[in-house]
Structure formats: structure tokens, C-alpha cells
């Protein structure tokens, strides 16, 4: 491995202090609770795992927890995990677990419904189970587990440190603000019921919720580690997250800038990558000046397995960047010829993004959805497709279900293109007004007060966002709708909610909106909805995308194609580090095209940041690819 320098930068003085392969003061005196969060794909899991291993190797007892519904701790650590702590082989002091939202929801339902079995009529018990079958129940049940680890001292008494590898930022913000939201709801609810069933089930958690809030706000116990790349969108997301979490009391924050790159020579692609990173850091200089900053350079290979993770923090396992690249096998130093590779008897083919858009244009209308792991470029691909369709004369609505939306900035302005986002606050306000005007219309003052109280629960927001999603999909009947979906875990919750929310909306409103009734059939109609699974040519994004595809198929939704984004193998670079990364991509390209996908488009990494209609056109200026 190359020598890996983590640089602690004092931004307000401009000085740099290099500390070879050490997290310096960060890991020398860490708080008990560490939260790694940030925009999807910035490397939260790798850095959380490396920190956990380093602390465990120093003799600390460490529990590593993923709160992400689409966790990839298993793959990074090389160990299958469960919802209870699992010992990590090779790291005696480290245990890890995944909070499984589905399992947590099942246990939560049984905790609330179980006491009534055999005491109430079976039809009533079934009704309670139906009421607790939505995505909101899944989220609050997973949050119960999170709160227990954070706010119940005896749950983690045997550990010196608890490290949370959180979900992509939008989900994390909901998770971390839920203690305050639910504590407030319990303060004001007097009916004994909530959208989650008997309020007693929540009252039992009240003390734990309050302790969780206190732990989050205690800078001596909790550190928020914002992870970012040297990219404008990622840094903007980190700044927004920093401000929003500071506002709820989480003020002990620091930032890790991951994957920083410096060109080895005058290779134009490498210089462009370095320049884009420098420009992003300069644009965020005032934000970075307010935090302690740790810099982690880009590595030539994926961070999978204990040796690679230990190499982040152990000097004796590291070598220089140039040495790592230049001592690679000779075939890894030539630009991978993706278009001419033939692997065995199967010769899977690749095509351009332009070819997919040609096929979309023939349909003339419908919904196009981009899905995948956070950070793979779903927003960029969605914006590119939307602007290209608008350029061809179609009316296009580009929208997003991602709470951390950047579609407007990515797409820019072009004739024929409407850009929006589903705003949870605005949608919730509209939903409440509509329910009060329908279900509450003929209620007396007492009944209206009870309904208003029920609608104050955080679950109402989930219903409101779902209905907005259904309305947006319905617009595909007369034009194109391109939907940039949230990172995978949130997307799965949204799709899983479809039938459950039919029941929830019906319970709260007298008339089921037609777009809600028709949503699931529309999503399952391949001539109407075309799902693009977006990935990077790396292990974790590919395998998470494959799991997403399995979930979609269980919901009877068949992906239209996969898009392999930001390929260095097709960038034309001869930089040693980028060549090594390009060579590493080939097995994952072959896996996608030969095993997972019926159609595969390849999009190279491009020199100019693809923001705005003109620069997005770079993604279409590629030769037609035939096989890998």
C-alpha cells in the first residue's frame, strides 16, 4: 500500500501539519459516541470502519453500528452481520451490528399488538397490524433501536466507544431530529393514541428518547464527524447538515475531506480532477474554517477488508502513492480498453447514455426514475436525461424525492424543462388542510381537536410526501417526468409504503386520490415507468444496486437498464493512480453487464463538472461501446 497521509489542516492560519497515517488528535482522544455522516458515497462507512478498527487495536472495546437501511458494513468488514452485536474476526475488541428496519418494525408491531391478542376481536387486531405496516412505523422502530444504544446506558455499558455509520444525510437528519419531534408529540398528545397505535408504546420510550437528545447535545460524549469529498455538492450538503444539526444542539463537529487527489504529471484528466477539487475547497473555505479538518487522499484501490482499512491509520502498512501505482502489474498500467475486452465466452455489451435517451424519446412520455446508492451520480444522470429530452423538444418535469435535493443546481435552465422538489414542510401543510376539510368537515369541536392532534405526529409528513410522489408520477401520462430518487434506503421505504399508504390515506381522508390508487400499477408498467439503476464501477455500489434490483423485482418493478457512472477506465487518463482505479473497475463492469443487467450504459468521468445544460452534454459525447 502507498504511504497514506492524513493532514490536519488549520484553515484559519493556512498552515498544514502532516501526520503520517494517523488520525492525530481525533483518534487520540475521541468522545464516547462518534457519528459519521454526510452525502451518500463520500466514504462514511470506510472511515467509520477504519476508526473503529484503530480504536479496537489500541485496546478499546468498540461497538460499530449502521443505521442505514441500505447498510454495507458487511462487505467492507468482510463479515456477515445481524441486528445484534457480532464479533469481527481479527479485531478482538470490535463488535458490529446493522439496525434492520424491517426486523425492528416487526418486533415493534408485536410489542404494541401482542398484548391485545386473544383479548380483542381478531378483526380489530388485524386492523392494528395494518395501521402499523407503513414505512413510518419502520423508521420509528429502527429509531427505537438507535435511541436505545444512545440513550440507555446499560445497553452499551461494556463498550468504551460506540461508532454510528449513519444513512445518507437526508435520512440522518430525520433520524437525529426525531427525539425532539417525538418528545414534543408525547407532551401534547392527550388522546392515548397516535398514528403508530397505542400511545403507551411510545410513553415507555420517553425516558430513552430524552436521554438520546441529551447525549446528542453533549459535546463531551458525542462528536459529529461530517465526511465529504472535494466536490461542491458534497461540501454544500456537509455545510447544510452542520447548520441543521447545530440548530438542534449537536455542536461538537469536525470534518474529514476524503478522496483528495493531486495529479502526478500533466495528464489532462488528472489535472482536471485536481482542479475541480481545489475549486470546490476554495468555494467552501469559510465553512471549513469553522471546523477541525482532516484530509484523506484518494486511494488506488477499494477499501474492502481489514488490511486495507488498517492501512488508513497504520504507517507500517503504507507506501507512497506513486510506489503503489507504479509497482502494479504491467497490464494495470495501460488504459483499460473497455470497448475491446472479451472475458471468457460471455461478451456482455455496453452502450452510451445517448442510446437510452433515444429509446425514451420514442415513447414520447412516461416516468424515468434514477435509483442507486447515495453518491453514485443519480442527480447528474437524471438532470442529463431531462435536459437532453427538453433539448429534443419534449416537455419535461424534473423532480426529486431526495430530502437533500440538488436537481435545480445540476440541471440549470433550458426551454421545456420544469424543475421542482417535493418539499416535506409544504406538502405536510397542504395534507393537513385537505384532511381537515374532508375527514374533519362534519366533526364537532372535540372531534376536530382530536384529529388535529393526530395530524401533528411526524407520520403525517410521510403520508404527505408519499401523496406528492404519486401526483408527480401521474404527470407522466401527458409528458416526461424524470425523478431523481433519494439514496437507496429511503427509496425502498417509499416504494414499500405504496400499499400501506393506500390504507393510511383512506383512514384519514374520505376520498382516496386517484393518483394514489393508480400509483402502484403505474410503477409496475414497463411501458410507463423506466427505472435506471445507477452505480459506480466499484464493489459496494454495484452490490448494493443488485440488492436494490432484487427488492424492486419483489415489488414487481423491473429495471429498464443500469448506468455505470464516472468511469476512469473510459476517461482516457494515463495518471498512474487513475490507471490503477480504472483497472480496478473492469471486474465490476463485467459483473454488471454479464450478471445483473439486461442493458448497461457506461458514462465516463468527464473533465468539466457536469452542471448545467451545456456541461451535461459531455455525458452524451461518447463513442458507442460494444463489449467489455
Amino acid at each position: 500500500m502507498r504511504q497514506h497521509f492524513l493532514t490536519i489542516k488549520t484553515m484559519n492560519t493556512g498552515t498544514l501539519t502532516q501526520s503520517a497515517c494517523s488520525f492525530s488528535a481525533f483518534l487520540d482522544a475521541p468522545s464516547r459516541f462518534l457519528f459519521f455522516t454526510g452525502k451518500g458515497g463520500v466514504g462514511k462507512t470506510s472511515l467509520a470502519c477504519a476508526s473503529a478498527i484503530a480504536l479496537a487495536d489500541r485496546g478499546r472495546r468498540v461497538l460499530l453500528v449502521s443505521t442505514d437501511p441500505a447498510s454495507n458494513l458487511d462487505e467492507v468488514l468482510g463479515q456477515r452481520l445481524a441486528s445484534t452485536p457480532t464479533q469481527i474476526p481479527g479485531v478482538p475488541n470490535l463488535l458490529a451490528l446493522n439496525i434492520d428496519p424491517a426486523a425492528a418494525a416487526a418486533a415493534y408491531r408485536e410489542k404494541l399488538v401482542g398484548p391485545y391478542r386473544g383479548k380483542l376481536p381478531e378483526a380489530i387486531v388485524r386492523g392494528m397490524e395494518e395501521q402499523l405496516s407503513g414505512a413510518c412505523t419502520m423508521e420509528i422502530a429502527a429509531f427505537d433501536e438507535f435511541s436505545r444504544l444512545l440513550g440507555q446506558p446499560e445497553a452499551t455499558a461494556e463498550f468504551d466507544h460506540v461508532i454510528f455509520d449513519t444513512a445518507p444525510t437526508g435520512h440522518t437528519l430525520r433520524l437525529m431530529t426525531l427525539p425532539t419531534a417525538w418528545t414534543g408529540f408525547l407532551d401534547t398528545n392527550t388522546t392515548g393514541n397516535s398514528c403508530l397505535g397505542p400511545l403507551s408504546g411510545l410513553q415507555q420510550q420517553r425516558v430513552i428518547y430524552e436521554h438520546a437528545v441529551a447525549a446528542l447535545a453533549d459535546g463531551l460524549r458525542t462528536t459529529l464527524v461530517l465526511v465529504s469529498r472535494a466536490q461542491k455538492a458534497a461540501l454544500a450538503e456537509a455545510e447544510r447538515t452542520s447548520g441543521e444539526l447545530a440548530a438542534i444542539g449537536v455542536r461538537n463537529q469536525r470534518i474529514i475531506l476524503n478522496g483528495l487527489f493531486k495529479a502526478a504529471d500533466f495528464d489532462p484528466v488528472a489535472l482536471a480532477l485536481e482542479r475541480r477539487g481545489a475549486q470546490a475547497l476554495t468555494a467552501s473555505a469559510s465553512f471549513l474554517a469553522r471546523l477541525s479538518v482532516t484530509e484523506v487522499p484518494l486511494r488506488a484501490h477499494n477499501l474492502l477488508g481489514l488490511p486495507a482499512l488498517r492501512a488508513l491509520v497504520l504507517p507500517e502498512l503504507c507506501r507512497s502513492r506513486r510506489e503503489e501505482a507504479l509497482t502494479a502489474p504491467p497490464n494495470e498500467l495501460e488504459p483499460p480498453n473497455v470497448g475491446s475486452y472479451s472475458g471468457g465466452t460471455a461478451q456482455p455489451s455496453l452502450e452510451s447514455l445517448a442510446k437510452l435517451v433515444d429509446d425514451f424519446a420514442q415513447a414520447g412520455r412516461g416516468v424515468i426514475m434514477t435509483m442507486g446508492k447515495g453518491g453514485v451520480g443519480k442527480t447528474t444522470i437524471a438532470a442529463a436525461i431531462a435536459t437532453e429530452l427538453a433539448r429534443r423538444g419534449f416537455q419535461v418535469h424534473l423532480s426529486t424525492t431526495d430530502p437533500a435535493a440538488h436537481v435545480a443546481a445540476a440541471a440549470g435552465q433550458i426551454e421545456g424543462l420544469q424543475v421542482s422538489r417535493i418539499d416535506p414542510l409544504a406538502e405536510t401543510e397542504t395534507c393537513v388542510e385537505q384532511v381537515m376539510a374532508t375527514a374533519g368537515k362534519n366533526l364537532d369541536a372535540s372531534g376536530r381537536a382530536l384529529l388535529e392532534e393526530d395530524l401533528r405526529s411526524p407520520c403525517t409528513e410521510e403520508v404527505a410526501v408519499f401523496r406528492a410522489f404519486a401526483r408527480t408520477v401521474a404527470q407522466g401520462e401527458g409528458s416526461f417526468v424524470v425523478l431523481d430518487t433519494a439514496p437507496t434506503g429511503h427509496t425502498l421505504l417509499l416504494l414499500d409504503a405504496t400499499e400501506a399508504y393506500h390504507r393510511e390515506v383512506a383512514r384519514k381522508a374520505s376520498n382516496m386520490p386517484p393518483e394514489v390508487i393508480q400509483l402502484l400499477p403505474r410503477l409496475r408498467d414497463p411501458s410507463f415507468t423506466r427505472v435506471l439503476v445507477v452505480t459506480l464501477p466499484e464493489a459496494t455500489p454495484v452490490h448494493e444496486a443488485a440488492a436494490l434490483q432484487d427488492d424492486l423485482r419483489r415489488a414487481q418493478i423491473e429495471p429498464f437498464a443500469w448506468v455505470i457512472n464516472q468511469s476512469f477506465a473510459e476517461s482516457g487518463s494515463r495518471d498512474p493512480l487513475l490507471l490503477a482505479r480504472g483497472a480496478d473497475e473492469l471486474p465490476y463492469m463485467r459483473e454488471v453487464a454479464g450478471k445483473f443487467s439486461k442493458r448497461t450504459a457506461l458514462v465516463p468521468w468527464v473533465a468539466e463538472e457536469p452542471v448545467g445544460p451545456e456541461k451535461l452534454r459531455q455525458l452524451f459525447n461518447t463513442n458507442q461501446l460494444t463489449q467489455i
Side-chain angles (χ1 to χ4, degrees):
M1 297 289 178
R2 63 187 172 87
Q3 190 174 6
H4 193 81
F5 286 97
L6 301 179
T7 305
I8 309 299
K9 178 182 288 187
T10 307
M11 299 294 294
N12 56 354
T13 64
T15 60
L16 295 176
T17 302
Q18 285 192 332
S19 177
C21 297
S22 170
F23 275 104
S24 188
F26 169 50
L27 288 183
D28 286 342
S31 59
R32 184 160 190 266
F33 298 111
L34 298 172
F35 284 86
F36 286 77
T37 191
K39 184 177 172 62
V42 294
K44 298 183 298 294
T45 298
S46 298
L47 293 172
C49 289
S51 298
I53 292 168
L55 291 173
D57 285 346
R58 296 179 188 185
R60 312 282 181 84
R61 286 281 291 174
V62 181
L63 176 64
L64 177 61
V65 180
S66 174
T67 67
D68 193 337
S71 172
N72 62 318
L73 274 186
D74 303 57
E75 183 162 30
V76 174
L77 292 172
Q79 170 66 38
R80 183 174 295 278
L81 302 178
S83 57
T84 55
T86 299
Q87 176 67 54
I88 304 302
V91 192
N93 291 315
L94 176 60
L95 285 81
L97 66 86
N98 286 321
I99 294 178
D100 182 341
Y108 184 85
R109 280 193 298 272
E110 187 56 31
K111 180 175 69 175
L112 294 185
V113 176
Y116 299 96
R117 296 187 191 281
K119 299 179 180 179
L120 293 177
E122 186 178 344
I124 294 178
V125 173
R126 282 201 306 270
M128 293 172 66
E129 289 177 329
E130 277 198 2
Q131 187 177 343
L132 294 168
S133 64
C136 190
T137 301
M138 187 178 294
E139 186 169 7
I140 195 65
F143 174 71
D144 270 358
E145 293 298 306
F146 161 83
S147 293
R148 183 179 64 83
L149 296 172
L150 187 62
Q152 194 172 16
E154 58 270 26
T156 58
E158 64 179 292
F159 299 101
D160 299 305
H161 299 283
V162 182
I163 297 178
F164 292 91
D165 169 35
T166 68
T169 309
H171 178 87
T172 299
L173 288 175
R174 277 194 57 80
L175 196 66
M176 298 186 83
T177 55
L178 275 173
T180 301
W182 279 105
T183 299
F185 180 57
L186 294 173
D187 284 336
T188 59
N189 187 298
T190 59
T191 67
N193 290 288
S194 77
C195 58
L196 295 178
L199 191 57
S200 59
L202 296 178
Q203 290 285 5
Q204 295 168 6
Q205 299 296 104
R206 183 185 185 115
V207 173
I208 296 176
Y209 288 175
E210 290 174 345
H211 287 172
V213 173
L216 287 171
D218 185 350
L220 295 178
R221 284 188 287 167
T222 300
T223 302
L224 179 76
V225 183
L226 296 158
V227 182
S228 181
R229 298 273 183 174
Q231 299 166 351
K232 292 179 181 178
L235 286 164
E237 188 63 26
E239 184 169 6
R240 185 181 72 87
T241 303
S242 174
E244 292 192 16
L245 293 180
I248 64 169
V250 186
R251 296 186 176 88
N252 183 18
Q253 303 178 6
R254 64 182 304 118
I255 189 166
I256 297 179
L257 297 173
N258 191 28
L260 298 182
F261 176 76
K262 184 172 179 59
D265 49 34
F266 294 101
D267 176 76
V269 174
L271 290 173
L273 180 59
E274 180 181 342
R275 181 176 63 253
R276 278 169 55 176
Q279 291 171 344
L281 293 175
T282 298
S284 296
S286 61
F287 163 58
L288 296 174
R290 300 195 294 268
L291 300 173
S292 297
V293 181
T294 301
E295 294 185 350
V296 180
L298 183 68
R299 299 182 64 81
H301 303 290
N302 288 325
L303 290 171
L304 297 175
L306 300 184
L309 293 167
R310 280 195 168 105
L312 282 173
V313 289
L314 295 178
E316 61 269 23
L317 296 181
C318 301
R319 291 189 292 168
S320 73
R321 169 187 183 277
R322 180 173 292 275
E323 182 182 1
E324 179 185 26
L326 293 181
T327 55
N331 64 324
E332 292 190 2
L333 294 178
E334 294 300 320
N337 187 345
V338 179
S340 62
Y341 175 82
S342 176
T345 57
Q347 296 188 4
S349 62
L350 299 175
E351 53 191 287
S352 67
L353 189 62
K355 180 61 173 66
L356 295 185
V357 176
D358 289 342
D359 290 351
F360 299 151
Q362 288 183 7
R365 68 178 184 107
V367 175
I368 301 161
M369 297 178 67
T370 57
M371 295 186 181
K373 179 179 170 61
V376 298
K378 296 183 302 297
T379 300
T380 298
I381 296 300
I385 291 169
T387 55
E388 181 62 19
L389 286 170
R391 196 186 311 279
R392 298 186 186 192
F394 294 99
Q395 292 297 309
V396 184
H397 181 190
L398 172 63
S399 190
T400 181
T401 66
D402 194 336
H406 302 285
V407 288
Q413 296 181 340
I414 184 173
E415 185 177 356
L417 177 65
Q418 173 193 357
V419 182
S420 71
R421 64 180 290 265
I422 295 175
D423 183 341
L425 293 179
E427 295 299 337
T428 301
E429 183 177 348
T430 301
C431 181
V432 168
E433 291 175 354
Q434 182 180 353
V435 172
M436 292 304 299
T438 54
K441 182 178 180 180
N442 297 318
L443 295 177
D444 59 19
S446 176
R448 288 180 63 85
L450 292 176
L451 181 58
E452 287 175 344
E453 192 168 90
D454 192 20
L455 290 170
R456 285 202 299 270
S457 84
C459 299
T460 302
E461 180 182 308
E462 292 286 345
V463 174
V465 169
F466 172 79
R467 292 175 63 169
F469 172 66
R471 287 197 306 272
T472 304
V473 168
Q475 294 177 24
E477 290 288 353
S479 61
F480 278 110
V481 172
V482 181
L483 271 168
D484 164 39
T485 66
T488 308
H490 181 90
T491 301
L492 291 178
L493 290 179
L494 187 64
L495 292 175
D496 181 67
T498 302
E499 292 181 289
Y501 278 156
H502 280 117
R503 295 188 292 271
E504 182 66 12
V505 173
R507 185 178 73 87
K508 288 188 173 179
S510 57
N511 295 312
M512 176 89 70
E515 60 268 17
V516 172
I517 297 173
Q518 298 167 18
L519 176 60
L520 199 55
R522 282 174 171 150
L523 293 178
R524 289 172 172 169
D525 181 356
S527 67
F528 183 83
T529 298
R530 294 170 176 83
V531 173
L532 298 180
V533 177
V534 184
T535 187
L536 301 178
E538 300 171 10
T540 298
V542 165
H543 297 151
E544 185 169 310
L548 167 63
Q549 179 167 262
D550 288 341
D551 286 321
L552 290 171
R553 286 172 172 168
R554 278 193 290 273
Q556 300 175 45
I557 299 171
E558 183 65 28
F560 178 79
W562 283 47
V563 177
I564 300 175
N565 195 26
Q566 299 177 20
S567 167
F568 284 110
E570 275 293 295
S571 68
S573 174
R574 298 191 66 87
D575 180 271
L577 179 59
L578 300 186
L579 279 173
R581 290 191 69 88
D584 257 16
E585 293 174 359
L586 292 179
Y588 303 111
M589 292 182 187
R590 295 195 288 268
E591 188 175 18
V592 169
K595 180 178 179 182
F596 296 130
S597 178
K598 297 176 181 177
R599 296 182 64 175
T600 308
L602 181 65
V603 178
W605 189 89
V606 293
E608 296 291 330
E609 188 168 7
V611 175
E614 292 308 313
K615 291 183 179 179
L616 284 169
R617 296 194 76 179
Q618 297 174 94
L619 306 186
F620 299 96
N621 297 333
T622 57
N623 295 325
Q624 188 78 3
L625 300 164
T626 56
Q627 64 182 50
I628 51 176

